[in-house]
Amino acid sequence: MAGKPKLHYTKGRGKMESIRWLLAAAGVEFEEEFIETKEDLEKLRNDGVLLFHQVPMVEIDGMRMVQTRAILSYIAAKYNLYGKDLKERAWIDMYVEGTTDLMGMIMYLPFQPADTKEKNLALIIERATTRYFPVYEKALKDHGQDYLVGNKLSWADVHLLEAILMAEECKPDVLSAFPLLQAFKGRISNIPTIKKFLQPGSQRKPPTDEKSVAVVRKIFNI
């Protein structure tokens, strides 16, 4: 039997968190080897295991995969979370790209200068409530199913729940105008594999704080 996937990244969320989410949703156990110092990262680079000298990197099925999107696409396809045909896959891709854009804004917020954070936080809330969440609310209404694409759980659903929870960390009532998304959050959160990942003690990482920002800046020299 093949070994568990091994994830190489810092102890924070960053770009690896969506990979953790997707593996957990698929019910796949994984190991993590944390990059805790600049030297840890340099060793991976010098060993030639990082294709573009970047992390995330995931060891899976005899491959050392890099590039977040490539890793997520592979996991989604491998564990039947990527739709039944090309059209469903296209919709999943579009929905995922939207949540990726929103989560990217939230992910970089802790790294921004203090004097711009308030302005950027307001922009995140504005974009979430006028550009992104209305799309998913309408999709659920028009589709009339429990899930965004087809009638089964897909990568798009997992990614959207992650984005919702991140947005709620910025503004707890961010879903107040979106009843279908509120119901969606409840349904997807209660899928057994996801419910387990949301429990304390799982491999889900906490929100990025000042301490973890300092560590990341040191490791990546930013």
Side-chain angles (χ1 to χ4, degrees):
M1 194 176 97
K4 296 175 186 176
K6 184 184 281 188
L7 282 49
H8 296 263
Y9 202 66
T10 68
K11 284 187 175 178
R13 287 184 181 176
K15 292 188 174 183
M16 187 65 91
E17 191 69 357
S18 292
I19 296 166
R20 296 180 185 112
W21 264 89
L22 198 57
L23 285 168
V28 179
E29 291 185 2
F30 57 88
E31 298 173 349
E32 300 192 79
E33 193 160 304
F34 294 117
I35 297 166
E36 300 187 68
T37 65
K38 198 173 179 178
E39 290 70 31
D40 291 342
L41 180 61
E42 282 306 313
K43 186 179 187 310
L44 285 174
R45 287 172 172 165
N46 293 335
D47 288 349
V49 299
L50 301 179
L51 195 60
F52 300 109
H53 291 194
Q54 294 172 313
V55 288
M57 189 268 279
V58 174
E59 295 183 63
I60 185 170
D61 296 342
M63 297 184 289
R64 290 181 174 125
M65 292 196 72
V66 296
Q67 297 294 350
T68 310
R69 171 79 204 198
I71 297 165
L72 286 164
S73 297
Y74 182 82
I75 293 166
K78 179 178 171 73
Y79 295 105
N80 201 23
L81 294 166
Y82 213 172
K84 70 177 189 298
D85 54 31
L86 273 176
K87 280 192 175 179
E88 285 197 358
R89 185 167 291 201
W91 278 106
I92 289 167
D93 283 341
M94 285 192 281
Y95 289 145
V96 163
E97 289 299 323
T99 38
T100 299
D101 289 347
L102 176 59
M103 287 195 287
M105 294 175 71
I106 299 170
M107 194 186 305
Y108 292 118
L109 187 65
F111 293 88
Q112 292 166 354
D115 58 346
T116 64
K117 274 187 186 171
E118 200 170 319
K119 180 182 171 186
N120 287 316
L121 178 59
L123 179 63
I124 288 167
I125 302 306
E126 189 265 329
R127 289 275 171 85
T129 54
T130 65
R131 179 178 294 189
Y132 296 108
F133 289 161
V135 169
Y136 302 106
E137 183 82 1
K138 185 176 187 299
L140 290 167
K141 183 180 180 184
D142 292 349
H143 189 42
Q145 304 286 358
D146 285 348
Y147 307 103
L148 284 170
V149 179
N151 194 22
K152 68 190 289 285
L153 182 71
S154 77
W155 174 20
D157 301 305
V158 179
H159 220 240
L160 177 54
L161 177 60
E162 184 187 359
I164 286 170
L165 296 180
M166 286 176 74
E168 286 185 332
E169 287 170 356
C170 295
K171 188 175 190 288
D173 65 346
V174 73
L175 287 188
S176 59
F178 305 102
L180 296 181
L181 282 179
Q182 291 175 39
F184 171 88
K185 174 193 163 188
R187 280 196 307 276
I188 306 302
S189 295
N190 275 302
I191 291 169
T193 53
I194 294 175
K195 188 173 184 178
K196 183 181 176 185
F197 187 61
L198 291 172
Q199 299 302 312
S202 80
Q203 287 165 293
R204 186 183 179 214
K205 302 298 179 269
T208 305
D209 58 16
E210 287 184 17
K211 187 179 176 184
S212 52
V213 167
V215 171
V216 168
R217 287 193 189 280
K218 198 168 181 182
I219 292 171
F220 295 100
N221 201 25
I222 52 174

